[in-house]
Amino acid sequence: MTDQVMDAPSALRRPEGDRSGRARLAILLCAAMLVVIAIGSLGWGASDASALGVVLDMVTGGADSVPARDRIIVWDIRLPRVILGMLIGASLAVSGAVMQGLFRNPLADPGLVGVSAGAGLGAIGIIVLGAGVLAPVSAAFGIYALPFAAFLGGLATTLILYRVATRRGQTSVATMLLAGIALGALAGAASGLLVYVADDRQLRDLTFWNLGSLAGATWTKIAAAGPIIALSLVASPFLARGLNGLSLGETTAHHLGIPVQRLKNVAIVMVAAAVGASVAVSGGIGFVGIVVPHLLRLAIGPDHRYLLPASALLGACLLLVADAVSRTIVAPAELPIGIVTAAVGAPFFLWILLRRRGILDL
């Protein structure tokens, strides 16, 4: 599929101009900003442990110059949190950009149209029933059982949403949003039933997990979800030219030599895998997938060759900043990161709706 998409006629290539130069500059700026924010996040926290001191201690071999507590805080608490935050932020932003290209509408977002809720249902099922009915699944997949269950939930939701909202190659925005609300409500009802039968320990975990958090970041979680997210991110640029062609309509894209159905299948699986793995380890973190691609489209245009890598970088930056806010706004306690992203993303979504009210008949 990749070769056919990459070999699409040059008609799919958007003219090089000011937007492409601006896009390259934006990608470089986002990459530099990500490095700065990641380094700052390593040194930021309730503890006074110095990330720079720990790194210098490791480089110089001064094993006794830095307390063991500081090493544990930096290498086993802060570093996994930063890495997981970057992976999840990038995956949610890229998934939003791919969904918007697939549906040809900037209102598509994994959190808003029920994909995250479906992935959450799969993850909650493993958390609550992993020692009972779903014990064979947990035993078969080990640490990958949670991401795999979330992937299946997200995949099922995405497939249903696409079939319901798309007719004769055209996606109805109203139908997409309404179907997403219905699917999210259905997944929420099933999740509520599982929560009802959960024990006290599971309830405590699920309550905090449902709001979204990076507090439980560990190297084990990175090992479980990281490869899935990384593969999805690596695969996404190969969809760029196909998504550019799809923006002209399915019929036109087909005449240009793009295998439309195969492109849609790969895009749906990629989104489900990325969102499922992210939800499995961090819970529900909304609005990243709609805020980041929309801001970038305003700045650098809709060309997915630039939009997808820029979304990955800016999404990682946004989530690290939101995580820093969640750790400090009610210090020494920690606010779930999903609350922070919702507080910023919900007004932004309303603004987008107002800008597009002609389409939505508002």
Side-chain angles (χ1 to χ4, degrees):
M1 190 279 295
T2 299
D3 292 335
Q4 296 181 47
V5 173
M6 294 295 291
D7 291 336
S10 58
L12 295 181
R13 302 184 182 185
R14 299 182 183 272
E16 298 293 329
D18 292 338
R19 281 291 180 107
S20 63
R22 186 188 305 173
R24 295 187 184 98
L25 179 60
I27 290 173
L28 290 176
L29 290 176
C30 287
M33 186 166 59
L34 179 59
V35 172
V36 172
I37 294 174
I39 293 174
S41 297
L42 277 179
W44 188 267
S47 169
D48 59 356
S50 170
L52 180 60
V54 173
V55 172
L56 290 176
D57 180 72
M58 296 291 290
V59 171
T60 59
D64 298 327
S65 61
V66 173
R69 177 187 68 93
D70 289 2
R71 292 196 202 93
I72 293 174
I73 290 173
V74 172
W75 292 110
D76 294 333
I77 297 178
R78 290 182 185 172
L79 185 57
R81 186 167 185 148
V82 169
I83 293 175
L84 198 62
M86 289 192 295
L87 288 172
I88 292 172
S91 71
L92 293 177
V94 170
S95 296
V98 171
M99 283 196 71
Q100 290 160 22
L102 182 66
F103 285 98
R104 300 191 294 283
N105 193 281
L107 296 179
D109 171 72
L112 294 174
V113 296
V115 178
S116 294
L121 173 60
I124 290 173
I126 285 293
I127 292 173
V128 176
L129 304 176
V133 177
L134 298 179
V137 177
S138 298
F141 290 94
I143 63 172
Y144 294 99
L146 195 61
F148 179 72
F151 161 72
L152 291 181
L155 177 62
T157 307
T158 308
L159 289 172
I160 294 172
L161 179 68
Y162 189 85
R163 292 298 299 271
V164 171
T166 304
R167 184 178 179 85
R168 297 190 182 96
Q170 299 295 322
T171 300
S172 167
V173 179
T175 302
M176 179 187 69
L177 293 176
L178 293 174
I181 292 172
L183 291 172
L186 184 61
S191 298
L193 179 62
L194 291 172
V195 170
Y196 181 77
V197 301
D199 58 34
D200 290 340
R201 180 187 61 80
Q202 293 169 341
L203 281 175
R204 285 193 297 270
D205 294 341
L206 289 173
T207 299
F208 197 72
W209 178 82
N210 274 330
L211 295 174
S213 176
L214 299 177
T218 62
W219 292 113
T220 300
K221 287 187 177 182
I222 293 176
I228 300 173
I229 296 175
L231 285 174
S232 299
L233 293 176
V234 169
S236 63
F238 296 104
L239 303 175
R241 296 184 188 277
L243 292 174
N244 283 347
L246 198 61
S247 65
L248 304 174
E250 290 191 13
T251 302
T252 303
H254 179 75
H255 288 314
L256 289 171
I258 294 175
V260 174
Q261 190 58 47
R262 194 180 304 175
L263 173 68
K264 291 190 292 185
N265 292 342
V266 172
I268 287 173
V269 171
M270 194 218 80
V271 168
V275 174
S278 299
V279 169
V281 294
S282 69
I285 299 177
F287 295 102
V288 176
I290 192 170
V291 171
V292 172
H294 195 81
L295 285 177
L296 289 171
R297 279 193 183 89
L298 294 176
I300 66 176
D303 191 339
H304 289 86
R305 292 178 299 165
Y306 305 114
L307 182 64
L308 293 177
S311 294
L313 294 170
L314 187 58
C317 292
L318 178 63
L319 203 63
L320 288 183
V321 171
D323 183 51
V325 172
S326 72
R327 285 187 283 163
T328 57
I329 195 170
V330 291
E334 181 175 319
L335 192 69
I337 194 172
I339 295 177
V340 178
T341 57
V344 175
F348 188 86
F349 179 63
L350 290 174
W351 175 70
I352 295 176
L353 287 177
L354 291 175
R355 289 184 74 240
R356 299 178 59 82
R357 56 187 172 184
I359 294 179
L360 296 176
D361 295 325
L362 292 179

